Amino acid sequence: MEEKLQNKENMTISDVAEALGVSKTTVSRAISGKGRVGATTRNKVLSYIEKHNYKPSTVAKGLAQSRTYNICVTIPSDCGVSEQLFFQSVVAGMCNYLALRDYDVVVASISDMDISNLKRIVSNHKVDGVIVSRTYRNGIIVEYLKESHIPFVTLGLCNDKEVAQIDCDHREGCKELTSLLLMRGMKKIGLIGGDTRHMVTQSRYQGYLDAFKELGLEADQQLIYENSITAVLVENAVEELMVQQADCILCMDDSICNFVLHKCSHDGIIIPEDLKVASFFNSSILENHRPAITCLNFDNNEEGVIAAKTILDLLDGKEVPNVKKLGYQVIINNSTK
Amino acid sequence: MEEKLQNKENMTISDVAEALGVSKTTVSRAISGKGRVGATTRNKVLSYIEKHNYKPSTVAKGLAQSRTYNICVTIPSDCGVSEQLFFQSVVAGMCNYLALRDYDVVVASISDMDISNLKRIVSNHKVDGVIVSRTYRNGIIVEYLKESHIPFVTLGLCNDKEVAQIDCDHREGCKELTSLLLMRGMKKIGLIGGDTRHMVTQSRYQGYLDAFKELGLEADQQLIYENSITAVLVENAVEELMVQQADCILCMDDSICNFVLHKCSHDGIIIPEDLKVASFFNSSILENHRPAITCLNFDNNEEGVIAAKTILDLLDGKEVPNVKKLGYQVIINNSTK
DNA sequence: CTGTTAGCGCGTTCAA
DNA sequence: TTGAACGCGCTAACAG
């Protein structure tokens, strides 16, 4: 009777020990695998907890080890559609990898200047490490994390050699895509860029410039529209670029590209006949567009996995590279034919 | 010297107590506000921890109170664009509300049939409650949560009167929108629906039917295309509906609508002249579309807030309504003019 | 109003 | 190979 009721809500390691007539220590060792236990006792313990569905409390375990088994990830609440899709994939990748090591993901919703959620989580000792999912030119997040001495990694560069950074090599990718277009004979390639406060915007911009430089050309500043973070700004940029007779428009991300495509379709601009279009990103927003859009492809899910792997290495005291570069693919489609 | 170094990494409540010559209990009470402490001592403690930047460990506090101060939210990893946007808003709302109560959000990335992450989190005792962000016709998640006796709420209906459910009244909203279109004289209103395994799809479908019934009409089954979860399926549906000379297409969500719009634009179908289009959702994907799309508008962020509020009420032992209905807006735009 | 004593559930010494 | 005792950092019950 008592035996059966052992399937109670909160069975503890003591209950198991008592029921089996062994000590808590033995149970603990049998479960964790650390410290030697007789094969017989081990099996006895394991089969018992299996049958009675006992699982140790990660919280108590964490307290005893001064760990939480939680990793915090920052998610900007003020961001465009394609970025949201990006974060979602990243988080999924992280979750799945961390789960393998019994770690979980705690979300810190942050906005432009308000990182109070992050601060609360860190100062409450709720996580062992932080993954910063986007870096900014102003480094307030990095600054804060450094001074609170919590291990962290960033997705994106951050101009600080001491920080472990994961970067998809946007610069190189954007350079390659831009070069390709230049070599296909396009002369007036407009660039519609995103929020310049984000580091990734910088990288993409640099890549764009690199391509021109490498070919001994000079980028025309008149064709560059940065901070086009609203539909209206993008539309204005498109209009001005058409007046300037640009033959191609490069969009820094898919949200921008989406606006460009809407604008073109509305104004009767035919792609690629009247104008070529390409994007420095590849989200599912443009997935089904006709013509298919030339773009760069990054594996967001893998970024999450790598970030998770890196932060755990950091927690284990392993050496991690300052900047870990991830690859990309250039996908040429009909929009630049 | 020691005094200044008190700003050390892991200051504990004992350090504070010792430094101030009081007991840990007093410090604890001064901080939590529970139990009476002399105003003088309280201020002494508060100013000390303020100055030395001490914050109690939520983990230890949780262990002592048999709580974790964490709420789990399930996020489907296999979902369309507009759904992803939905989840992101919901999570942001939850985070911000829970933060007010010192709670945090732990993410369980789940997929179609694999809820192992959720199971791990729950059985490891890592959270006090769960918010299920989408309900399914098959109730494996609800079933699991019920038998593990952890408090939870669902976003969406779940056919189980014992479960606390938050519902945006999709049924009523869809009915209203459909009625409006019928009353505007549209006769052949096609419906392109989503994944029928999701409860929300059912609700929307019912709302569509309700509208016909209320007007004494009968919905034409030939005009209904369910499970159109890929671009190709949606496109086929559009083609067939055009052949059937439908005068309007209702899309169950914005991803579907997006595909419909792409298809129309590609096939030269002019909206609203050749065809009216409306969506049962309103995400930022269609934000800038021309013509603007008639749709239903839900406040996703608020859904998250309400869900968070409800789960905390549940944890506090308060009574919560079985089904909490949230409002919606019908937004009439040029796409149905 | 404050301090002492026990736990919360587990890991980890140190002996045996 | 096993167990007893202690500690992780904090709250709660019970004094005084």
Side-chain angles (χ1 to χ4, degrees):
Chain A
M1 181 89 164
E2 265 304 296
E3 274 300 87
K4 296 213 74 162
L5 286 179
Q6 204 56 287
N7 249 328
K8 64 177 183 176
E9 266 327 78
N10 293 310
M11 196 172 7
T12 75
I13 199 172
S14 304
D15 298 327
V16 178
E18 201 171 333
L20 259 42
V22 297
S23 77
K24 297 190 297 179
T25 317
T26 307
V27 177
S28 174
R29 283 197 277 246
I31 294 174
S32 70
K34 311 201 168 194
R36 287 200 302 270
V37 192
T40 337
T41 19
R42 180 204 312 285
N43 291 331
K44 195 169 61 176
V45 171
L46 292 182
S47 72
Y48 182 90
I49 67 168
E50 168 77 42
K51 174 185 284 177
H52 294 268
N53 198 30
Y54 165 77
K55 288 262 247 156
S57 154
T58 309
V59 176
K61 175 176 159 188
L63 184 60
Q65 301 177 148
S66 305
R67 288 207 257 169
T68 65
Y69 290 94
N70 281 139
I71 298 295
C72 174
V73 57
T74 63
I75 301 189
S77 57
D78 51 354
C79 63
V81 180
S82 64
E83 289 174 293
Q84 290 194 22
L85 299 177
F86 165 75
F87 293 121
Q88 192 114 351
S89 296
V90 166
V91 169
M94 283 174 26
C95 279
N96 290 325
Y97 182 80
L98 291 176
L100 303 177
R101 307 265 302 261
D102 234 26
Y103 266 82
D104 288 293
V105 170
V106 170
V107 172
S109 178
I110 63 176
S111 72
D112 199 13
M113 290 283 91
D114 178 17
I115 59 169
S116 59
N117 276 333
L118 172 63
K119 287 186 175 174
R120 201 179 44 75
I121 290 171
V122 170
S123 63
N124 278 350
H125 312 277
K126 293 202 68 162
V127 296
D128 298 333
V130 177
I131 295 175
V132 179
S133 61
R134 174 162 78 192
T135 50
Y136 299 80
R137 293 192 72 179
N138 94 35
I140 58 167
I141 297 183
V142 168
E143 219 167 88
Y144 167 71
L145 292 175
K146 283 184 79 168
E147 75 188 23
S148 53
H149 299 112
I150 190 169
F152 69 99
V153 307
T154 63
L155 243 45
L157 301 175
C158 80
N159 286 336
D160 188 325
K161 293 176 193 96
E162 296 172 23
V163 175
Q165 303 159 53
I166 322 281
D167 186 56
C168 260
D169 218 340
H170 293 93
R171 183 166 178 171
E172 194 60 28
C174 294
K175 174 186 157 189
E176 193 173 325
L177 178 49
T178 307
S179 298
L180 240 65
L181 296 176
L182 283 171
M183 293 190 298
R184 287 194 173 209
M186 294 170 212
K187 294 299 177 197
K188 292 202 136 190
I189 301 183
L191 177 69
I192 303 186
D195 196 323
T196 49
R197 290 170 302 182
H198 304 158
M199 285 301 287
V200 66
T201 305
Q202 298 300 311
S203 301
R204 290 175 179 164
Y205 180 56
Q206 288 301 329
Y208 172 84
L209 295 183
D210 289 348
F212 284 86
K213 199 170 297 171
E214 200 183 50
L215 292 176
L217 303 172
E218 193 159 350
D220 182 352
Q221 290 295 328
Q222 302 288 341
L223 299 176
I224 299 175
Y225 294 82
E226 296 204 276
N227 284 312
S228 301
I229 52 182
T230 68
V232 175
L233 287 172
V234 173
E235 288 167 7
N236 289 341
V238 172
E239 279 178 18
E240 296 188 22
L241 282 168
M242 291 311 288
V243 170
Q244 296 188 64
Q245 301 191 304
D247 47 16
C248 177
I249 293 183
L250 276 176
C251 308
M252 273 214 190
D253 75 40
D254 281 7
S255 300
I256 292 174
C257 195
N258 198 35
F259 288 143
V260 168
L261 295 173
H262 277 317
K263 174 67 175 168
C264 289
S265 135
H266 182 257
D267 288 0
I269 301 168
I270 312 290
I271 299 165
E273 285 77 2
D274 303 338
L275 178 76
K276 328 282 183 197
V277 170
S279 173
F280 282 166
F281 200 62
N282 181 29
S283 74
S284 42
I285 307 179
L286 305 180
E287 196 167 51
N288 199 240
H289 198 273
R290 296 222 189 70
I293 306 299
T294 290
C295 61
L296 287 176
N297 185 42
F298 302 100
D299 187 336
N300 304 331
N301 199 80
E302 199 205 348
E303 280 186 70
V305 171
I306 299 290
K309 202 176 288 189
T310 306
I311 190 70
L312 290 187
D313 282 349
L314 224 44
L315 293 180
D316 289 345
K318 293 184 192 166
E319 279 298 316
V320 304
N322 294 351
V323 177
K324 163 92 178 172
K325 293 275 183 193
L326 299 186
Y328 58 86
Q329 295 169 272
V330 179
I331 301 180
I332 302 297
N333 270 324
N334 288 331
S335 70
T336 51
K337 272 277 162 62
Chain B
M1 180 91 164
E2 264 304 294
E3 274 298 88
K4 296 212 75 163
L5 286 179
Q6 204 56 288
N7 248 328
K8 63 179 183 177
E9 266 326 77
N10 293 309
M11 196 173 7
T12 75
I13 199 171
S14 304
D15 297 327
V16 178
E18 201 171 332
L20 259 43
V22 297
S23 76
K24 295 191 297 178
T25 317
T26 306
V27 177
S28 174
R29 283 196 277 244
I31 294 174
S32 70
K34 311 202 168 193
R36 287 202 301 272
V37 191
T40 336
T41 15
R42 181 203 313 284
N43 290 331
K44 195 169 61 175
V45 171
L46 292 182
S47 73
Y48 182 90
I49 67 169
E50 168 77 42
K51 174 185 284 178
H52 294 269
N53 198 30
Y54 164 77
K55 287 262 245 156
S57 154
T58 309
V59 176
K61 175 176 160 187
L63 183 60
Q65 301 179 146
S66 304
R67 289 206 257 168
T68 65
Y69 290 96
N70 281 140
I71 298 295
C72 174
V73 58
T74 63
I75 301 190
S77 58
D78 51 354
C79 64
V81 180
S82 64
E83 290 174 294
Q84 290 194 21
L85 298 178
F86 165 73
F87 292 122
Q88 192 115 349
S89 296
V90 167
V91 169
M94 283 175 26
C95 278
N96 290 325
Y97 182 79
L98 292 177
L100 303 177
R101 307 266 302 262
D102 233 26
Y103 265 83
D104 287 293
V105 171
V106 170
V107 173
S109 177
I110 63 176
S111 72
D112 199 14
M113 291 284 90
D114 178 17
I115 59 169
S116 59
N117 276 333
L118 172 63
K119 288 187 175 174
R120 202 179 43 74
I121 290 171
V122 170
S123 63
N124 278 350
H125 313 276
K126 293 202 70 162
V127 297
D128 298 332
V130 177
I131 295 174
V132 179
S133 62
R134 174 163 78 193
T135 50
Y136 300 80
R137 292 191 73 178
N138 94 35
I140 58 167
I141 297 183
V142 168
E143 219 167 88
Y144 166 71
L145 292 175
K146 283 185 80 169
E147 74 189 24
S148 51
H149 299 111
I150 189 170
F152 70 98
V153 307
T154 63
L155 243 45
L157 301 175
C158 80
N159 287 336
D160 187 324
K161 293 176 194 94
E162 297 173 22
V163 175
Q165 302 159 53
I166 320 283
D167 186 56
C168 261
D169 218 340
H170 293 94
R171 182 166 178 171
E172 194 59 29
C174 294
K175 174 186 157 190
E176 193 173 325
L177 178 49
T178 307
S179 297
L180 240 65
L181 296 177
L182 283 172
M183 293 190 298
R184 287 194 172 210
M186 293 170 215
K187 294 299 178 198
K188 293 203 135 191
I189 301 183
L191 177 68
I192 303 186
D195 196 323
T196 50
R197 290 170 303 182
H198 304 158
M199 285 301 287
V200 67
T201 305
Q202 298 298 312
S203 301
R204 290 175 180 163
Y205 180 56
Q206 288 300 329
Y208 172 85
L209 295 183
D210 289 349
F212 283 87
K213 198 169 298 170
E214 200 184 49
L215 292 176
L217 304 172
E218 193 159 350
D220 183 352
Q221 290 296 328
Q222 302 289 340
L223 298 176
I224 299 175
Y225 293 82
E226 296 204 275
N227 285 312
S228 303
I229 52 181
T230 68
V232 175
L233 288 172
V234 173
E235 288 168 8
N236 289 342
V238 172
E239 279 177 20
E240 295 188 24
L241 283 168
M242 291 312 288
V243 170
Q244 297 188 63
Q245 301 189 305
D247 47 17
C248 177
I249 292 183
L250 275 176
C251 308
M252 273 214 190
D253 75 40
D254 280 7
S255 300
I256 293 174
C257 195
N258 198 35
F259 288 143
V260 168
L261 295 174
H262 277 317
K263 174 67 175 169
C264 288
S265 136
H266 181 257
D267 287 1
I269 301 169
I270 311 290
I271 299 164
E273 285 77 3
D274 303 337
L275 178 74
K276 327 281 184 198
V277 170
S279 174
F280 281 165
F281 200 63
N282 180 29
S283 75
S284 42
I285 307 179
L286 306 180
E287 195 168 51
N288 199 240
H289 197 273
R290 295 222 190 70
I293 306 300
T294 290
C295 60
L296 289 176
N297 185 42
F298 301 100
D299 188 336
N300 304 331
N301 198 81
E302 198 204 348
E303 280 185 69
V305 171
I306 299 290
K309 202 176 287 189
T310 306
I311 190 70
L312 290 187
D313 282 350
L314 224 43
L315 293 180
D316 288 345
K318 292 184 191 165
E319 279 299 316
V320 304
N322 294 351
V323 177
K324 162 93 178 171
K325 293 276 183 194
L326 299 186
Y328 57 87
Q329 295 170 272
V330 179
I331 300 180
I332 303 296
N333 270 323
N334 288 331
S335 71
T336 50
K337 272 275 162 63

